[in-house]
Amino acid sequence: MRYRQVWPIDVHLRPFYLAGIMKATKNPGAPMMLDRKQAHMELDIRRNAKYWDIPISLPKVKGSHMNVNIWENRPTGRSIQRVLNNDAAHIEYIVIRVPRDLFEDFKTIAFTKTSALAQRLLLAIQKQHPSSVVEHCAGLMWRRFFTEHKSIFDEEDLRQVLKRLPDCNEDTLLKVAVTEEVKTALRTNTDEALAHGCFGAPWIHVRRSAHEIEPFFGSDRLPLIGHLIGQEFQGPLIQYASHEQNQTAAG
């Protein structure tokens, strides 16, 4: 978004269903299955956070908030158990209760959660509000997940996002988000991305004319996009970072 300030471009967000992309392309997300890849990704994210001046990190299990209790002579239970001392007369267990609202690690989230409702909500907003409101909402979702490490997958999560968005009716937008019209729009966007070779996200279409589209995969392709359209890549443009962060934080 920062490059709209220095390049002659228009940017349009097109929500699509990533799980549908992964299924259609038979993409198993194999790199995420590698511990070394995940460790490198965390390192790479820290580098990018510093380079672009954005508050991003992967959600993790917050183990410091776990409750620990000692139960005596209690051989069964639904919580995680570990035998501390086992003899014929006395058995002790340490029982760790994990609060339900704790985040799983990012790998678990990636393979078990769906952002379909969040994407439909963005489409619902597109139907009723200017593109600036869609971008604001997308920024709030991004910040909630990657900075605040909170869920964006359920209706109540998204209701909390909408409360930070001025002049938006929560109930109306959430109702529109589950209509067949919006579900069809999400499928259409997903099919269009697939038709242009999409296999993951972020996926970028650079439309040079009505019939000429160049696809790009990844958030690090701005130098190549600049070369394609005859514009100079000017680095992270950190001078515009505070405006972005203030906009999402103020919501």
Side-chain angles (χ1 to χ4, degrees):
M1 296 299 182
R2 298 175 191 176
Y3 269 79
R4 283 187 301 194
Q5 309 293 327
V6 296
W7 286 355
I9 58 173
D10 293 322
V11 179
H12 303 279
L13 299 184
R14 298 288 301 277
F16 66 78
Y17 186 39
L18 181 58
I21 297 289
M22 304 290 277
K23 181 178 180 180
T25 58
K26 296 181 172 59
N27 182 350
M32 284 293 295
M33 302 300 292
L34 300 175
D35 291 339
R36 290 189 179 187
K37 170 63 177 178
Q38 184 164 352
H40 180 77
M41 183 169 64
E42 292 173 354
L43 173 62
D44 212 34
I45 285 175
R46 288 197 298 272
R47 290 169 174 163
N48 274 280
K50 184 175 181 179
Y51 179 74
W52 291 99
D53 191 20
I54 53 176
I56 180 174
S57 60
L58 294 181
K60 289 181 176 294
V61 171
K62 299 177 181 177
S64 60
H65 295 289
M66 293 180 179
N67 296 323
V68 179
N69 298 316
I70 300 295
W71 288 5
E72 294 185 0
N73 300 320
R74 189 71 175 271
T76 61
R78 295 182 179 179
S79 302
I80 302 170
Q81 300 179 347
R82 180 168 63 90
V83 176
L84 296 181
N85 180 26
N86 187 354
D87 57 43
H90 191 73
I91 300 177
E92 292 181 345
Y93 291 85
I94 182 170
V95 180
I96 303 176
R97 291 194 180 93
V98 183
R100 292 182 179 179
D101 60 348
L102 291 182
F103 255 121
E104 305 94 333
D105 61 50
F106 185 72
K107 186 190 300 183
T108 303
I109 295 170
F111 286 105
T112 62
K113 301 293 185 180
T114 173
S115 65
L117 184 57
Q119 304 301 332
R120 291 173 189 159
L121 178 59
L122 291 174
L123 285 167
I125 295 172
Q126 278 185 339
K127 289 174 58 64
Q128 300 187 6
H129 295 276
S131 59
S132 59
V133 181
V134 181
E135 293 173 13
H136 190 180
C137 186
L140 290 172
M141 289 180 183
W142 186 94
R143 188 180 186 92
R144 178 179 171 88
F145 185 68
F146 284 110
T147 302
E148 300 171 4
H149 295 177
K150 296 178 181 178
S151 172
I152 57 168
F153 306 109
D154 300 322
E155 179 178 320
E156 183 55 35
D157 303 329
L158 298 175
R159 192 176 292 277
Q160 295 303 313
V161 172
L162 290 173
K163 287 179 179 178
R164 300 169 63 183
L165 202 62
D167 303 321
C168 285
N169 186 294
E170 303 164 29
D171 293 329
T172 298
L173 288 171
L174 287 168
K175 287 179 181 178
V176 174
V178 295
T179 60
E180 284 303 317
E181 181 182 2
V182 167
K183 291 179 181 179
T184 298
L186 186 63
R187 286 193 293 269
T188 298
N189 284 357
T190 304
D191 290 343
E192 180 182 337
L194 284 168
H196 289 282
C198 180
F199 55 86
W203 188 258
I204 302 169
H205 287 168
V206 178
R207 189 180 295 273
R208 305 182 69 185
S209 69
H211 305 289
E212 187 179 6
I213 294 177
E214 291 278 352
F216 290 85
F217 171 71
S219 57
D220 56 351
R221 295 300 189 263
L222 281 173
L224 296 178
I225 293 173
H227 183 265
L228 175 70
I229 64 176
Q231 297 293 321
E232 180 184 358
F233 177 68
Q234 301 179 34
L237 298 179
I238 290 178
Q239 62 269 33
Y240 300 113
S242 59
H243 172 72
E244 290 177 346
Q245 294 175 25
N246 289 339
Q247 185 182 40
T248 55

